[in-house]
Amino acid sequence: MKKTKDYGLIGYPLGHSLSPFIHEEIFKKNGLRHHYSLYEIPPEELESKQHLLSSLDGFNVTIPLKELIIPLCEKLDKSAEFGAVNCVKDKTGYNTDIFGFEKSIKALGANLKSRVCLLGYGGAGKMVAHAVQKAGGRLTIAEKDSKKLKTCQAKANLVKTGDLKGDFDLLINSTPVGMYPKIKAAPIDFKHVKANFVLDLVYNPVETKLLTLAKEKGAKTMNGLVMLVWQAIRSHDIWYGGKLTDKQAEEIIAALQVKA
């Protein structure tokens, strides 16, 4: 029998997380009985938790630690060189969100080489901006934080969220606005914005206020569950070579649509 290993997710807060269910399902489908736990770590305590992190066989990183974890990594994989890490193994930082994000775009039927509007420029936003630029899309970034706009290095049209106007092929929300428990909030109201496709990286609730508003305007929409599952599958590949088929991934996504 293979040795049981310990993996987990660090971030703050983690009350909304579906990650233990997802990762345990991936372990099962790979014939393993490893453990996956949640570790709530406020940003100011991250540096003091290095012993805990070193004791894990691998871990994922979520809001608000995707950028703060970088100085604690001894090496960055090419996937994380744009400035956000969500997966760590042996003190090497990776970004598996890109893999999950590209799977989501394909499933939605959208195209990154188009007019893309990105809401938010945090860790997830940097990943989206990187993917859009790599694909040759025309990017607009809307961010409410003036400091983030001033330090933004992406080649994009930069606007304050409240000033956003225009028609887009694809709109992506990378902010946590609308996430449980503040489910009545939306980052924009679509009064001055039109989009053919809308991807909300939030996955709890499965239909956010943003997606409801987008559907009312005739957009084709998707939540963050496809990305969440595929980034997790990619993490297992990095940690121990774990693989899943498209059908196995779809089984987990279907279970989450009910569970979330």
Side-chain angles (χ1 to χ4, degrees), residues 214-246:
K215 281 184 178 178
E216 290 172 357
K217 296 292 185 179
K220 186 177 180 183
T221 65
M222 176 178 283
N223 62 33
L225 286 178
V226 172
M227 175 174 157
L228 182 69
V229 170
W230 277 106
Q231 66 80 23
I233 292 168
R234 176 66 182 133
S235 294
H236 285 244
D237 189 10
I238 290 167
W239 291 335
Y240 61 90
K243 310 281 187 185
L244 287 194
T245 64
D246 286 356

PDB file of all heavy atoms in Angstrom, residues 214-246:
ATOM      1  N   ALA A 214     -26.194  39.112 -16.541  1.00  0.00           N
ATOM      2  CA  ALA A 214     -25.670  38.849 -17.879  1.00  0.00           C
ATOM      3  C   ALA A 214     -26.660  38.040 -18.715  1.00  0.00           C
ATOM      4  O   ALA A 214     -26.867  38.313 -19.906  1.00  0.00           O
ATOM      5  CB  ALA A 214     -24.331  38.122 -17.777  1.00  0.00           C
ATOM      6  N   LYS A 215     -27.281  37.042 -18.101  1.00  0.00           N
ATOM      7  CA  LYS A 215     -28.274  36.221 -18.808  1.00  0.00           C
ATOM      8  C   LYS A 215     -29.465  37.064 -19.254  1.00  0.00           C
ATOM      9  O   LYS A 215     -30.006  36.861 -20.343  1.00  0.00           O
ATOM     10  CB  LYS A 215     -28.751  35.080 -17.902  1.00  0.00           C
ATOM     11  CG  LYS A 215     -27.792  33.913 -17.821  1.00  0.00           C
ATOM     12  CD  LYS A 215     -28.385  32.794 -16.981  1.00  0.00           C
ATOM     13  CE  LYS A 215     -27.455  31.593 -16.929  1.00  0.00           C
ATOM     14  NZ  LYS A 215     -27.999  30.516 -16.068  1.00  0.00           N
ATOM     15  N   GLU A 216     -29.869  37.997 -18.409  1.00  0.00           N
ATOM     16  CA  GLU A 216     -30.983  38.879 -18.747  1.00  0.00           C
ATOM     17  C   GLU A 216     -30.674  39.727 -19.976  1.00  0.00           C
ATOM     18  O   GLU A 216     -31.587  40.142 -20.697  1.00  0.00           O
ATOM     19  CB  GLU A 216     -31.318  39.789 -17.557  1.00  0.00           C
ATOM     20  CG  GLU A 216     -31.955  39.048 -16.385  1.00  0.00           C
ATOM     21  CD  GLU A 216     -32.113  39.913 -15.151  1.00  0.00           C
ATOM     22  OE1 GLU A 216     -31.665  41.082 -15.181  1.00  0.00           O
ATOM     23  OE2 GLU A 216     -32.689  39.424 -14.156  1.00  0.00           O
ATOM     24  N   LYS A 217     -29.387  39.963 -20.216  1.00  0.00           N
ATOM     25  CA  LYS A 217     -28.950  40.736 -21.379  1.00  0.00           C
ATOM     26  C   LYS A 217     -28.639  39.840 -22.586  1.00  0.00           C
ATOM     27  O   LYS A 217     -28.163  40.308 -23.621  1.00  0.00           O
ATOM     28  CB  LYS A 217     -27.707  41.567 -21.024  1.00  0.00           C
ATOM     29  CG  LYS A 217     -27.953  42.627 -19.962  1.00  0.00           C
ATOM     30  CD  LYS A 217     -28.871  43.732 -20.478  1.00  0.00           C
ATOM     31  CE  LYS A 217     -29.000  44.846 -19.451  1.00  0.00           C
ATOM     32  NZ  LYS A 217     -29.865  45.937 -19.946  1.00  0.00           N
ATOM     33  N   GLY A 218     -28.866  38.535 -22.427  1.00  0.00           N
ATOM     34  CA  GLY A 218     -28.694  37.614 -23.550  1.00  0.00           C
ATOM     35  C   GLY A 218     -27.320  36.988 -23.689  1.00  0.00           C
ATOM     36  O   GLY A 218     -27.021  36.351 -24.702  1.00  0.00           O
ATOM     37  N   ALA A 219     -26.470  37.160 -22.687  1.00  0.00           N
ATOM     38  CA  ALA A 219     -25.112  36.595 -22.768  1.00  0.00           C
ATOM     39  C   ALA A 219     -25.109  35.104 -22.436  1.00  0.00           C
ATOM     40  O   ALA A 219     -25.943  34.622 -21.671  1.00  0.00           O
ATOM     41  CB  ALA A 219     -24.192  37.336 -21.803  1.00  0.00           C
ATOM     42  N   LYS A 220     -24.159  34.393 -23.016  1.00  0.00           N
ATOM     43  CA  LYS A 220     -23.912  33.002 -22.637  1.00  0.00           C
ATOM     44  C   LYS A 220     -22.960  33.028 -21.442  1.00  0.00           C
ATOM     45  O   LYS A 220     -21.933  33.709 -21.482  1.00  0.00           O
ATOM     46  CB  LYS A 220     -23.301  32.213 -23.794  1.00  0.00           C
ATOM     47  CG  LYS A 220     -23.156  30.723 -23.480  1.00  0.00           C
ATOM     48  CD  LYS A 220     -22.626  29.947 -24.672  1.00  0.00           C
ATOM     49  CE  LYS A 220     -22.488  28.467 -24.317  1.00  0.00           C
ATOM     50  NZ  LYS A 220     -21.902  27.688 -25.440  1.00  0.00           N
ATOM     51  N   THR A 221     -23.290  32.308 -20.374  1.00  0.00           N
ATOM     52  CA  THR A 221     -22.551  32.458 -19.118  1.00  0.00           C
ATOM     53  C   THR A 221     -21.987  31.144 -18.584  1.00  0.00           C
ATOM     54  O   THR A 221     -22.440  30.062 -18.945  1.00  0.00           O
ATOM     55  CB  THR A 221     -23.449  33.067 -18.023  1.00  0.00           C
ATOM     56  OG1 THR A 221     -24.515  32.146 -17.729  1.00  0.00           O
ATOM     57  CG2 THR A 221     -24.043  34.402 -18.471  1.00  0.00           C
ATOM     58  N   MET A 222     -20.994  31.291 -17.695  1.00  0.00           N
ATOM     59  CA  MET A 222     -20.410  30.134 -17.007  1.00  0.00           C
ATOM     60  C   MET A 222     -19.830  30.596 -15.680  1.00  0.00           C
ATOM     61  O   MET A 222     -19.281  31.697 -15.579  1.00  0.00           O
ATOM     62  CB  MET A 222     -19.307  29.492 -17.864  1.00  0.00           C
ATOM     63  CG  MET A 222     -18.592  28.329 -17.173  1.00  0.00           C
ATOM     64  SD  MET A 222     -17.336  27.556 -18.230  1.00  0.00           S
ATOM     65  CE  MET A 222     -18.387  26.597 -19.316  1.00  0.00           C
ATOM     66  N   ASN A 223     -19.959  29.744 -14.661  1.00  0.00           N
ATOM     67  CA  ASN A 223     -19.346  30.043 -13.362  1.00  0.00           C
ATOM     68  C   ASN A 223     -17.937  29.452 -13.287  1.00  0.00           C
ATOM     69  O   ASN A 223     -17.414  28.945 -14.277  1.00  0.00           O
ATOM     70  CB  ASN A 223     -20.227  29.531 -12.207  1.00  0.00           C
ATOM     71  CG  ASN A 223     -20.411  28.016 -12.240  1.00  0.00           C
ATOM     72  OD1 ASN A 223     -19.527  27.265 -12.647  1.00  0.00           O
ATOM     73  ND2 ASN A 223     -21.576  27.557 -11.812  1.00  0.00           N
ATOM     74  N   GLY A 224     -17.324  29.512 -12.113  1.00  0.00           N
ATOM     75  CA  GLY A 224     -15.929  29.110 -11.970  1.00  0.00           C
ATOM     76  C   GLY A 224     -15.673  27.642 -11.675  1.00  0.00           C
ATOM     77  O   GLY A 224     -14.522  27.263 -11.416  1.00  0.00           O
ATOM     78  N   LEU A 225     -16.713  26.796 -11.717  1.00  0.00           N
ATOM     79  CA  LEU A 225     -16.517  25.399 -11.323  1.00  0.00           C
ATOM     80  C   LEU A 225     -15.629  24.605 -12.286  1.00  0.00           C
ATOM     81  O   LEU A 225     -14.823  23.779 -11.850  1.00  0.00           O
ATOM     82  CB  LEU A 225     -17.869  24.692 -11.171  1.00  0.00           C
ATOM     83  CG  LEU A 225     -18.675  25.055  -9.924  1.00  0.00           C
ATOM     84  CD1 LEU A 225     -20.001  24.317  -9.915  1.00  0.00           C
ATOM     85  CD2 LEU A 225     -17.890  24.736  -8.650  1.00  0.00           C
ATOM     86  N   VAL A 226     -15.775  24.835 -13.584  1.00  0.00           N
ATOM     87  CA  VAL A 226     -14.940  24.113 -14.553  1.00  0.00           C
ATOM     88  C   VAL A 226     -13.471  24.448 -14.322  1.00  0.00           C
ATOM     89  O   VAL A 226     -12.602  23.562 -14.267  1.00  0.00           O
ATOM     90  CB  VAL A 226     -15.345  24.448 -16.003  1.00  0.00           C
ATOM     91  CG1 VAL A 226     -14.345  23.859 -16.995  1.00  0.00           C
ATOM     92  CG2 VAL A 226     -16.742  23.922 -16.302  1.00  0.00           C
ATOM     93  N   MET A 227     -13.192  25.730 -14.146  1.00  0.00           N
ATOM     94  CA  MET A 227     -11.818  26.156 -13.873  1.00  0.00           C
ATOM     95  C   MET A 227     -11.311  25.574 -12.561  1.00  0.00           C
ATOM     96  O   MET A 227     -10.179  25.085 -12.471  1.00  0.00           O
ATOM     97  CB  MET A 227     -11.741  27.677 -13.830  1.00  0.00           C
ATOM     98  CG  MET A 227     -10.371  28.208 -13.420  1.00  0.00           C
ATOM     99  SD  MET A 227     -10.288  29.998 -13.564  1.00  0.00           S
ATOM    100  CE  MET A 227      -8.963  30.344 -12.407  1.00  0.00           C
ATOM    101  N   LEU A 228     -12.160  25.596 -11.532  1.00  0.00           N
ATOM    102  CA  LEU A 228     -11.775  25.099 -10.212  1.00  0.00           C
ATOM    103  C   LEU A 228     -11.369  23.625 -10.267  1.00  0.00           C
ATOM    104  O   LEU A 228     -10.350  23.223  -9.693  1.00  0.00           O
ATOM    105  CB  LEU A 228     -12.935  25.290  -9.232  1.00  0.00           C
ATOM    106  CG  LEU A 228     -12.687  24.875  -7.788  1.00  0.00           C
ATOM    107  CD1 LEU A 228     -11.690  25.809  -7.113  1.00  0.00           C
ATOM    108  CD2 LEU A 228     -13.999  24.859  -7.003  1.00  0.00           C
ATOM    109  N   VAL A 229     -12.160  22.839 -10.965  1.00  0.00           N
ATOM    110  CA  VAL A 229     -11.876  21.400 -11.039  1.00  0.00           C
ATOM    111  C   VAL A 229     -10.624  21.117 -11.866  1.00  0.00           C
ATOM    112  O   VAL A 229      -9.749  20.345 -11.447  1.00  0.00           O
ATOM    113  CB  VAL A 229     -13.093  20.640 -11.615  1.00  0.00           C
ATOM    114  CG1 VAL A 229     -12.721  19.185 -11.924  1.00  0.00           C
ATOM    115  CG2 VAL A 229     -14.253  20.683 -10.623  1.00  0.00           C
ATOM    116  N   TRP A 230     -10.496  21.778 -13.014  1.00  0.00           N
ATOM    117  CA  TRP A 230      -9.347  21.488 -13.874  1.00  0.00           C
ATOM    118  C   TRP A 230      -8.030  22.014 -13.305  1.00  0.00           C
ATOM    119  O   TRP A 230      -6.974  21.392 -13.487  1.00  0.00           O
ATOM    120  CB  TRP A 230      -9.578  21.999 -15.286  1.00  0.00           C
ATOM    121  CG  TRP A 230     -10.387  21.036 -16.106  1.00  0.00           C
ATOM    122  CD1 TRP A 230     -11.685  21.155 -16.481  1.00  0.00           C
ATOM    123  CD2 TRP A 230      -9.951  19.767 -16.609  1.00  0.00           C
ATOM    124  NE1 TRP A 230     -12.087  20.047 -17.204  1.00  0.00           N
ATOM    125  CE2 TRP A 230     -11.044  19.185 -17.293  1.00  0.00           C
ATOM    126  CE3 TRP A 230      -8.747  19.064 -16.561  1.00  0.00           C
ATOM    127  CZ2 TRP A 230     -10.952  17.935 -17.916  1.00  0.00           C
ATOM    128  CZ3 TRP A 230      -8.663  17.826 -17.178  1.00  0.00           C
ATOM    129  CH2 TRP A 230      -9.755  17.280 -17.848  1.00  0.00           C
ATOM    130  N   GLN A 231      -8.072  23.146 -12.585  1.00  0.00           N
ATOM    131  CA  GLN A 231      -6.826  23.597 -11.953  1.00  0.00           C
ATOM    132  C   GLN A 231      -6.408  22.610 -10.867  1.00  0.00           C
ATOM    133  O   GLN A 231      -5.226  22.384 -10.642  1.00  0.00           O
ATOM    134  CB  GLN A 231      -6.944  25.032 -11.424  1.00  0.00           C
ATOM    135  CG  GLN A 231      -7.908  25.276 -10.281  1.00  0.00           C
ATOM    136  CD  GLN A 231      -7.358  24.905  -8.914  1.00  0.00           C
ATOM    137  OE1 GLN A 231      -6.154  24.851  -8.722  1.00  0.00           O
ATOM    138  NE2 GLN A 231      -8.254  24.631  -7.992  1.00  0.00           N
ATOM    139  N   ALA A 232      -7.407  22.010 -10.192  1.00  0.00           N
ATOM    140  CA  ALA A 232      -7.108  21.008  -9.168  1.00  0.00           C
ATOM    141  C   ALA A 232      -6.497  19.750  -9.788  1.00  0.00           C
ATOM    142  O   ALA A 232      -5.529  19.183  -9.268  1.00  0.00           O
ATOM    143  CB  ALA A 232      -8.386  20.654  -8.399  1.00  0.00           C
ATOM    144  N   ILE A 233      -7.065  19.318 -10.911  1.00  0.00           N
ATOM    145  CA  ILE A 233      -6.536  18.140 -11.607  1.00  0.00           C
ATOM    146  C   ILE A 233      -5.087  18.377 -12.034  1.00  0.00           C
ATOM    147  O   ILE A 233      -4.230  17.498 -11.880  1.00  0.00           O
ATOM    148  CB  ILE A 233      -7.413  17.809 -12.838  1.00  0.00           C
ATOM    149  CG1 ILE A 233      -8.798  17.329 -12.380  1.00  0.00           C
ATOM    150  CG2 ILE A 233      -6.755  16.753 -13.727  1.00  0.00           C
ATOM    151  CD1 ILE A 233      -9.832  17.243 -13.491  1.00  0.00           C
ATOM    152  N   ARG A 234      -4.812  19.572 -12.532  1.00  0.00           N
ATOM    153  CA  ARG A 234      -3.447  19.912 -12.928  1.00  0.00           C
ATOM    154  C   ARG A 234      -2.499  19.894 -11.724  1.00  0.00           C
ATOM    155  O   ARG A 234      -1.333  19.484 -11.834  1.00  0.00           O
ATOM    156  CB  ARG A 234      -3.445  21.288 -13.609  1.00  0.00           C
ATOM    157  CG  ARG A 234      -2.064  21.794 -13.982  1.00  0.00           C
ATOM    158  CD  ARG A 234      -1.392  20.949 -15.048  1.00  0.00           C
ATOM    159  NE  ARG A 234      -0.062  21.452 -15.335  1.00  0.00           N
ATOM    160  CZ  ARG A 234       1.028  20.698 -15.429  1.00  0.00           C
ATOM    161  NH1 ARG A 234       0.939  19.383 -15.290  1.00  0.00           N
ATOM    162  NH2 ARG A 234       2.200  21.239 -15.694  1.00  0.00           N
ATOM    163  N   SER A 235      -3.000  20.324 -10.549  1.00  0.00           N
ATOM    164  CA  SER A 235      -2.182  20.285  -9.329  1.00  0.00           C
ATOM    165  C   SER A 235      -1.756  18.864  -9.001  1.00  0.00           C
ATOM    166  O   SER A 235      -0.602  18.616  -8.630  1.00  0.00           O
ATOM    167  CB  SER A 235      -2.960  20.880  -8.144  1.00  0.00           C
ATOM    168  OG  SER A 235      -3.191  22.261  -8.323  1.00  0.00           O
ATOM    169  N   HIS A 236      -2.669  17.913  -9.139  1.00  0.00           N
ATOM    170  CA  HIS A 236      -2.350  16.508  -8.852  1.00  0.00           C
ATOM    171  C   HIS A 236      -1.301  15.982  -9.823  1.00  0.00           C
ATOM    172  O   HIS A 236      -0.452  15.160  -9.450  1.00  0.00           O
ATOM    173  CB  HIS A 236      -3.615  15.651  -8.918  1.00  0.00           C
ATOM    174  CG  HIS A 236      -4.503  15.824  -7.729  1.00  0.00           C
ATOM    175  ND1 HIS A 236      -4.772  14.814  -6.843  1.00  0.00           N
ATOM    176  CD2 HIS A 236      -5.154  16.925  -7.259  1.00  0.00           C
ATOM    177  CE1 HIS A 236      -5.580  15.264  -5.887  1.00  0.00           C
ATOM    178  NE2 HIS A 236      -5.825  16.549  -6.127  1.00  0.00           N
ATOM    179  N   ASP A 237      -1.364  16.432 -11.054  1.00  0.00           N
ATOM    180  CA  ASP A 237      -0.359  16.043 -12.043  1.00  0.00           C
ATOM    181  C   ASP A 237       1.029  16.514 -11.586  1.00  0.00           C
ATOM    182  O   ASP A 237       2.023  15.779 -11.682  1.00  0.00           O
ATOM    183  CB  ASP A 237      -0.724  16.668 -13.394  1.00  0.00           C
ATOM    184  CG  ASP A 237       0.141  16.138 -14.537  1.00  0.00           C
ATOM    185  OD1 ASP A 237       0.882  15.162 -14.336  1.00  0.00           O
ATOM    186  OD2 ASP A 237       0.080  16.725 -15.632  1.00  0.00           O
ATOM    187  N   ILE A 238       1.093  17.732 -11.079  1.00  0.00           N
ATOM    188  CA  ILE A 238       2.358  18.290 -10.591  1.00  0.00           C
ATOM    189  C   ILE A 238       2.837  17.551  -9.341  1.00  0.00           C
ATOM    190  O   ILE A 238       4.023  17.225  -9.215  1.00  0.00           O
ATOM    191  CB  ILE A 238       2.187  19.799 -10.287  1.00  0.00           C
ATOM    192  CG1 ILE A 238       2.027  20.583 -11.593  1.00  0.00           C
ATOM    193  CG2 ILE A 238       3.370  20.339  -9.482  1.00  0.00           C
ATOM    194  CD1 ILE A 238       1.553  22.001 -11.408  1.00  0.00           C
ATOM    195  N   TRP A 239       1.922  17.273  -8.418  1.00  0.00           N
ATOM    196  CA  TRP A 239       2.306  16.680  -7.138  1.00  0.00           C
ATOM    197  C   TRP A 239       2.800  15.235  -7.265  1.00  0.00           C
ATOM    198  O   TRP A 239       3.787  14.865  -6.639  1.00  0.00           O
ATOM    199  CB  TRP A 239       1.126  16.711  -6.172  1.00  0.00           C
ATOM    200  CG  TRP A 239       0.747  18.086  -5.702  1.00  0.00           C
ATOM    201  CD1 TRP A 239       1.557  19.178  -5.629  1.00  0.00           C
ATOM    202  CD2 TRP A 239      -0.548  18.506  -5.266  1.00  0.00           C
ATOM    203  NE1 TRP A 239       0.853  20.267  -5.166  1.00  0.00           N
ATOM    204  CE2 TRP A 239      -0.437  19.881  -4.926  1.00  0.00           C
ATOM    205  CE3 TRP A 239      -1.778  17.872  -5.116  1.00  0.00           C
ATOM    206  CZ2 TRP A 239      -1.526  20.626  -4.451  1.00  0.00           C
ATOM    207  CZ3 TRP A 239      -2.858  18.602  -4.647  1.00  0.00           C
ATOM    208  CH2 TRP A 239      -2.731  19.966  -4.321  1.00  0.00           C
ATOM    209  N   TYR A 240       2.087  14.417  -8.055  1.00  0.00           N
ATOM    210  CA  TYR A 240       2.470  12.995  -8.098  1.00  0.00           C
ATOM    211  C   TYR A 240       2.167  12.323  -9.440  1.00  0.00           C
ATOM    212  O   TYR A 240       2.200  11.089  -9.547  1.00  0.00           O
ATOM    213  CB  TYR A 240       1.787  12.216  -6.962  1.00  0.00           C
ATOM    214  CG  TYR A 240       0.278  12.226  -7.017  1.00  0.00           C
ATOM    215  CD1 TYR A 240      -0.427  11.250  -7.706  1.00  0.00           C
ATOM    216  CD2 TYR A 240      -0.451  13.231  -6.389  1.00  0.00           C
ATOM    217  CE1 TYR A 240      -1.800  11.254  -7.768  1.00  0.00           C
ATOM    218  CE2 TYR A 240      -1.838  13.263  -6.448  1.00  0.00           C
ATOM    219  CZ  TYR A 240      -2.501  12.267  -7.134  1.00  0.00           C
ATOM    220  OH  TYR A 240      -3.882  12.296  -7.193  1.00  0.00           O
ATOM    221  N   GLY A 241       1.879  13.143 -10.473  1.00  0.00           N
ATOM    222  CA  GLY A 241       1.598  12.563 -11.784  1.00  0.00           C
ATOM    223  C   GLY A 241       0.180  12.068 -11.953  1.00  0.00           C
ATOM    224  O   GLY A 241      -0.109  11.277 -12.866  1.00  0.00           O
ATOM    225  N   GLY A 242      -0.732  12.537 -11.092  1.00  0.00           N
ATOM    226  CA  GLY A 242      -2.129  12.116 -11.169  1.00  0.00           C
ATOM    227  C   GLY A 242      -2.826  12.650 -12.414  1.00  0.00           C
ATOM    228  O   GLY A 242      -2.606  13.794 -12.807  1.00  0.00           O
ATOM    229  N   LYS A 243      -3.651  11.827 -13.025  1.00  0.00           N
ATOM    230  CA  LYS A 243      -4.360  12.210 -14.257  1.00  0.00           C
ATOM    231  C   LYS A 243      -5.846  11.866 -14.133  1.00  0.00           C
ATOM    232  O   LYS A 243      -6.220  10.929 -13.438  1.00  0.00           O
ATOM    233  CB  LYS A 243      -3.809  11.454 -15.471  1.00  0.00           C
ATOM    234  CG  LYS A 243      -2.299  11.495 -15.630  1.00  0.00           C
ATOM    235  CD  LYS A 243      -1.839  12.793 -16.235  1.00  0.00           C
ATOM    236  CE  LYS A 243      -0.333  12.729 -16.531  1.00  0.00           C
ATOM    237  NZ  LYS A 243       0.189  14.021 -17.019  1.00  0.00           N
ATOM    238  N   LEU A 244      -6.697  12.632 -14.856  1.00  0.00           N
ATOM    239  CA  LEU A 244      -8.105  12.285 -14.982  1.00  0.00           C
ATOM    240  C   LEU A 244      -8.530  12.468 -16.435  1.00  0.00           C
ATOM    241  O   LEU A 244      -7.994  13.320 -17.146  1.00  0.00           O
ATOM    242  CB  LEU A 244      -8.999  13.176 -14.106  1.00  0.00           C
ATOM    243  CG  LEU A 244      -9.017  12.977 -12.584  1.00  0.00           C
ATOM    244  CD1 LEU A 244     -10.213  13.713 -11.990  1.00  0.00           C
ATOM    245  CD2 LEU A 244      -9.037  11.534 -12.175  1.00  0.00           C
ATOM    246  N   THR A 245      -9.512  11.694 -16.858  1.00  0.00           N
ATOM    247  CA  THR A 245     -10.077  11.854 -18.192  1.00  0.00           C
ATOM    248  C   THR A 245     -11.096  12.999 -18.164  1.00  0.00           C
ATOM    249  O   THR A 245     -11.538  13.434 -17.093  1.00  0.00           O
ATOM    250  CB  THR A 245     -10.798  10.573 -18.646  1.00  0.00           C
ATOM    251  OG1 THR A 245     -11.911  10.338 -17.760  1.00  0.00           O
ATOM    252  CG2 THR A 245      -9.855   9.373 -18.603  1.00  0.00           C
ATOM    253  N   ASP A 246     -11.487  13.478 -19.348  1.00  0.00           N
ATOM    254  CA  ASP A 246     -12.527  14.509 -19.429  1.00  0.00           C
ATOM    255  C   ASP A 246     -13.818  14.029 -18.769  1.00  0.00           C
ATOM    256  O   ASP A 246     -14.499  14.796 -18.084  1.00  0.00           O
ATOM    257  CB  ASP A 246     -12.807  14.869 -20.891  1.00  0.00           C
ATOM    258  CG  ASP A 246     -11.696  15.710 -21.509  1.00  0.00           C
ATOM    259  OD1 ASP A 246     -10.750  16.086 -20.784  1.00  0.00           O
ATOM    260  OD2 ASP A 246     -11.775  15.989 -22.721  1.00  0.00           O
TER     261      ASP A 246
END
